Amino acid sequence: MKARLFLLSATLLASGCTVGPNYKRPTVPVPGSYRGTVPDQAAQTELNALGDQKWWDVFQDDQLRTLIHTALTQNYDSRIAASRVLEAQAKLGITRADQFPSVGAGAGIFDTRTAQSKFLPAFETSTGQVNLSAAWELDFWGKYRRATEAARANLIASEWARREVLSTLVANVASAYFQLRALDLELEISKRTLTSRQESLRLTRILADGGSTTLLDVRQAEQLVFTASAEIPVLEQQIEQQENFLSILLGQNPGDIPRGQTLTEQRQPPQVPSGLPSSLLERRPDIQQAEAQMVAANAEIGVARAAYFPQISLSGTGGFQSSALTSLFTGPAGAWSFGASLAQPIFTGGRLRSEVRLAEARQQTAALFYQQSIQGAFRSVSDALVAYHKTREFRAQQELLFRSAEDAARLSHMRYNGGVTGYLEVLTNETNAFSTELGLVQAQVNELLAVVQLYQALGGGWQQ
């Protein structure tokens, strides 16, 4: 019986086929270089792109590295993404199991007593049986193979989705940390400025008491003090809120965040080669996820088309049955059965045709989403490159502006102390210097954030 079953199934499988289209990656126009690449970077395309580097090589602050590692381990989004990968693995195992026969075994003992009747005496019977059964729906048209292909593609998509979460998490932690260090620096500047202005106010009051200056100068000096002091509680509020945000990214309750290097000590890579646009298709997690989803949708077409064809099933049972346990495995106690069935849908009211159309429409949607993801990736890289170059230029100009404003404030103090000008000039230049110094801090953090944005846009951050 087993030999006949094996021979028949092998013959059917050998002549079987897999319906549905085989996957073929659609052609997508890829530019030769990223828009936003400066001319002197054209020769750097052969260098390793920023996106190819590990995150611990890009970010040189040891404390930031520790925070990122903690977030990758404890953040709930990353843990949820990992759980979804496990779900996809289990679904693949369930789907793949449909390709194989199911085998079961059973045993039982049955005692029966019949009551005495007018014509028959009472009697008892005892029957024991042991059997082994097998059932197999042959994958003659490739229905289960296509379903397994789709499940495997969904598993790959969930893994790339997990990597996208990791890439986003690394970028968010780095950005939040740099913004926190910028707030720290602004608070330090505000406190230092407040101390200097309080001393200036003290000296102005002494001069006013001695009749060397007017009360107007005192009021103007007070404005400088109040301007600096008003910034401090606002910055302290923003710092605590930023720490709370970082704590949540780390998967922790709100609390203090340890610091490492100051904002001005943060090192940037001397060169940021963007690499070739064609390599972006293999590096960006969202593009890889979109392609895996397209593979799954393509395989689902085969699953839908296979429903048009007959379903061929094999079943068999073999075992022993006897009224006496002592003779269960001897003599004529053996019993077996074997059968094959075929089921062909004839009329379904257009259901099968609609299911095929649904699968084809989903495949077209997945293909369009894949192409849209590629265009969006090119745009994000271009935007990030432009932001990177322009924030560097802006930061350089902001440094010049701050030096000029700082020197103007110094000169106005000298003029005021020499009696050449009034305190209004000091007020104006001190206010400008304070504002430009805070603006310089913002320009410095924007430059760091541009590097983080470019790193994420190039597909970096998920490498472990």
Side-chain angles (χ1 to χ4, degrees), residues 26-33 277-278 281 370-372 374-375 378:
T27 302
V28 180
V30 178
S33 62
S278 58
L281 306 184
Y370 171 70
Q371 295 171 342
Q372 184 185 46
I374 293 177
Q375 284 191 345
F378 289 148

mmCIF file of all heavy atoms in Angstrom, residues 26-33 277-278 281 370-372 374-375 378:
data_model
loop_
_atom_site.group_PDB
_atom_site.id
_atom_site.type_symbol
_atom_site.label_atom_id
_atom_site.label_comp_id
_atom_site.label_asym_id
_atom_site.label_seq_id
_atom_site.Cartn_x
_atom_site.Cartn_y
_atom_site.Cartn_z
ATOM 1 N N PRO A 26 10.654 45.082 -11.442
ATOM 2 C CA PRO A 26 10.351 46.093 -12.468
ATOM 3 C C PRO A 26 11.532 47.021 -12.703
ATOM 4 O O PRO A 26 12.343 47.266 -11.805
ATOM 5 C CB PRO A 26 9.153 46.839 -11.876
ATOM 6 C CG PRO A 26 9.256 46.626 -10.397
ATOM 7 C CD PRO A 26 9.856 45.260 -10.222
ATOM 8 N N THR A 27 11.606 47.525 -13.903
ATOM 9 C CA THR A 27 12.674 48.453 -14.256
ATOM 10 C C THR A 27 12.338 49.839 -13.710
ATOM 11 O O THR A 27 11.255 50.369 -13.963
ATOM 12 C CB THR A 27 12.850 48.513 -15.774
ATOM 13 O OG1 THR A 27 13.132 47.202 -16.273
ATOM 14 C CG2 THR A 27 13.988 49.446 -16.140
ATOM 15 N N VAL A 28 13.268 50.385 -12.976
ATOM 16 C CA VAL A 28 13.077 51.700 -12.375
ATOM 17 C C VAL A 28 14.218 52.600 -12.821
ATOM 18 O O VAL A 28 15.393 52.221 -12.692
ATOM 19 C CB VAL A 28 13.046 51.615 -10.834
ATOM 20 C CG1 VAL A 28 12.856 52.991 -10.221
ATOM 21 C CG2 VAL A 28 11.942 50.680 -10.374
ATOM 22 N N PRO A 29 13.927 53.766 -13.394
ATOM 23 C CA PRO A 29 15.015 54.680 -13.809
ATOM 24 C C PRO A 29 15.791 55.189 -12.596
ATOM 25 O O PRO A 29 15.201 55.687 -11.639
ATOM 26 C CB PRO A 29 14.273 55.810 -14.532
ATOM 27 C CG PRO A 29 12.870 55.760 -13.996
ATOM 28 C CD PRO A 29 12.593 54.318 -13.693
ATOM 29 N N VAL A 30 17.094 55.023 -12.641
ATOM 30 C CA VAL A 30 17.961 55.438 -11.534
ATOM 31 C C VAL A 30 18.896 56.541 -12.037
ATOM 32 O O VAL A 30 19.575 56.356 -13.050
ATOM 33 C CB VAL A 30 18.788 54.250 -11.001
ATOM 34 C CG1 VAL A 30 19.718 54.697 -9.890
ATOM 35 C CG2 VAL A 30 17.862 53.148 -10.508
ATOM 36 N N PRO A 31 18.934 57.688 -11.384
ATOM 37 C CA PRO A 31 19.831 58.759 -11.833
ATOM 38 C C PRO A 31 21.291 58.360 -11.653
ATOM 39 O O PRO A 31 21.628 57.499 -10.838
ATOM 40 C CB PRO A 31 19.452 59.932 -10.915
ATOM 41 C CG PRO A 31 18.862 59.293 -9.700
ATOM 42 C CD PRO A 31 18.175 58.059 -10.178
ATOM 43 N N GLY A 32 22.152 59.003 -12.434
ATOM 44 C CA GLY A 32 23.567 58.692 -12.344
ATOM 45 C C GLY A 32 24.220 59.211 -11.084
ATOM 46 O O GLY A 32 25.218 58.652 -10.614
ATOM 47 N N SER A 33 23.666 60.271 -10.505
ATOM 48 C CA SER A 33 24.205 60.843 -9.273
ATOM 49 C C SER A 33 23.066 61.532 -8.544
ATOM 50 O O SER A 33 22.022 61.837 -9.126
ATOM 51 C CB SER A 33 25.335 61.834 -9.554
ATOM 52 O OG SER A 33 24.849 62.926 -10.336
ATOM 53 N N PRO A 277 23.678 56.081 -6.634
ATOM 54 C CA PRO A 277 22.240 55.919 -6.383
ATOM 55 C C PRO A 277 21.759 54.476 -6.526
ATOM 56 O O PRO A 277 20.812 54.075 -5.861
ATOM 57 C CB PRO A 277 21.608 56.834 -7.437
ATOM 58 C CG PRO A 277 22.652 57.856 -7.740
ATOM 59 C CD PRO A 277 23.958 57.131 -7.626
ATOM 60 N N SER A 278 22.397 53.699 -7.421
ATOM 61 C CA SER A 278 21.950 52.318 -7.600
ATOM 62 C C SER A 278 22.131 51.491 -6.340
ATOM 63 O O SER A 278 21.356 50.557 -6.071
ATOM 64 C CB SER A 278 22.719 51.676 -8.765
ATOM 65 O OG SER A 278 24.123 51.715 -8.513
ATOM 66 N N LEU A 281 19.185 51.235 -3.614
ATOM 67 C CA LEU A 281 18.104 50.260 -3.719
ATOM 68 C C LEU A 281 18.366 49.031 -2.857
ATOM 69 O O LEU A 281 17.429 48.359 -2.425
ATOM 70 C CB LEU A 281 17.910 49.838 -5.179
ATOM 71 C CG LEU A 281 17.685 50.959 -6.205
ATOM 72 C CD1 LEU A 281 17.423 50.361 -7.580
ATOM 73 C CD2 LEU A 281 16.542 51.859 -5.790
ATOM 74 N N TYR A 370 6.356 50.338 -4.598
ATOM 75 C CA TYR A 370 7.806 50.119 -4.688
ATOM 76 C C TYR A 370 8.469 51.240 -5.475
ATOM 77 O O TYR A 370 9.480 51.810 -5.046
ATOM 78 C CB TYR A 370 8.062 48.768 -5.344
ATOM 79 C CG TYR A 370 9.497 48.490 -5.697
ATOM 80 C CD1 TYR A 370 10.456 48.251 -4.715
ATOM 81 C CD2 TYR A 370 9.904 48.452 -7.032
ATOM 82 C CE1 TYR A 370 11.783 47.993 -5.055
ATOM 83 C CE2 TYR A 370 11.218 48.189 -7.376
ATOM 84 C CZ TYR A 370 12.149 47.969 -6.378
ATOM 85 O OH TYR A 370 13.461 47.720 -6.715
ATOM 86 N N GLN A 371 7.905 51.580 -6.617
ATOM 87 C CA GLN A 371 8.470 52.651 -7.433
ATOM 88 C C GLN A 371 8.368 54.001 -6.715
ATOM 89 O O GLN A 371 9.284 54.823 -6.784
ATOM 90 C CB GLN A 371 7.750 52.701 -8.772
ATOM 91 C CG GLN A 371 7.966 51.448 -9.622
ATOM 92 C CD GLN A 371 7.079 51.407 -10.851
ATOM 93 O OE1 GLN A 371 6.078 52.122 -10.913
ATOM 94 N NE2 GLN A 371 7.438 50.576 -11.812
ATOM 95 N N GLN A 372 7.256 54.216 -6.016
ATOM 96 C CA GLN A 372 7.100 55.450 -5.256
ATOM 97 C C GLN A 372 8.125 55.534 -4.129
ATOM 98 O O GLN A 372 8.672 56.612 -3.850
ATOM 99 C CB GLN A 372 5.683 55.531 -4.688
ATOM 100 C CG GLN A 372 5.381 56.827 -3.949
ATOM 101 C CD GLN A 372 4.017 56.813 -3.300
ATOM 102 O OE1 GLN A 372 3.638 55.843 -2.649
ATOM 103 N NE2 GLN A 372 3.256 57.883 -3.484
ATOM 104 N N ILE A 374 11.100 54.293 -4.131
ATOM 105 C CA ILE A 374 12.412 54.616 -4.704
ATOM 106 C C ILE A 374 12.508 56.108 -4.994
ATOM 107 O O ILE A 374 13.523 56.757 -4.671
ATOM 108 C CB ILE A 374 12.645 53.783 -5.977
ATOM 109 C CG1 ILE A 374 12.780 52.301 -5.619
ATOM 110 C CG2 ILE A 374 13.886 54.268 -6.716
ATOM 111 C CD1 ILE A 374 12.930 51.400 -6.814
ATOM 112 N N GLN A 375 11.471 56.668 -5.592
ATOM 113 C CA GLN A 375 11.494 58.108 -5.852
ATOM 114 C C GLN A 375 11.579 58.906 -4.558
ATOM 115 O O GLN A 375 12.305 59.902 -4.471
ATOM 116 C CB GLN A 375 10.245 58.513 -6.641
ATOM 117 C CG GLN A 375 10.293 58.144 -8.117
ATOM 118 C CD GLN A 375 9.175 58.799 -8.913
ATOM 119 O OE1 GLN A 375 8.211 59.304 -8.342
ATOM 120 N NE2 GLN A 375 9.298 58.779 -10.232
ATOM 121 N N PHE A 378 15.170 58.827 -3.293
ATOM 122 C CA PHE A 378 16.052 59.755 -4.005
ATOM 123 C C PHE A 378 15.812 61.192 -3.553
ATOM 124 O O PHE A 378 16.756 61.980 -3.399
ATOM 125 C CB PHE A 378 15.840 59.644 -5.516
ATOM 126 C CG PHE A 378 16.368 58.364 -6.098
ATOM 127 C CD1 PHE A 378 15.755 57.774 -7.185
ATOM 128 C CD2 PHE A 378 17.471 57.741 -5.562
ATOM 129 C CE1 PHE A 378 16.239 56.597 -7.725
ATOM 130 C CE2 PHE A 378 17.974 56.563 -6.087
ATOM 131 C CZ PHE A 378 17.344 55.987 -7.184
#
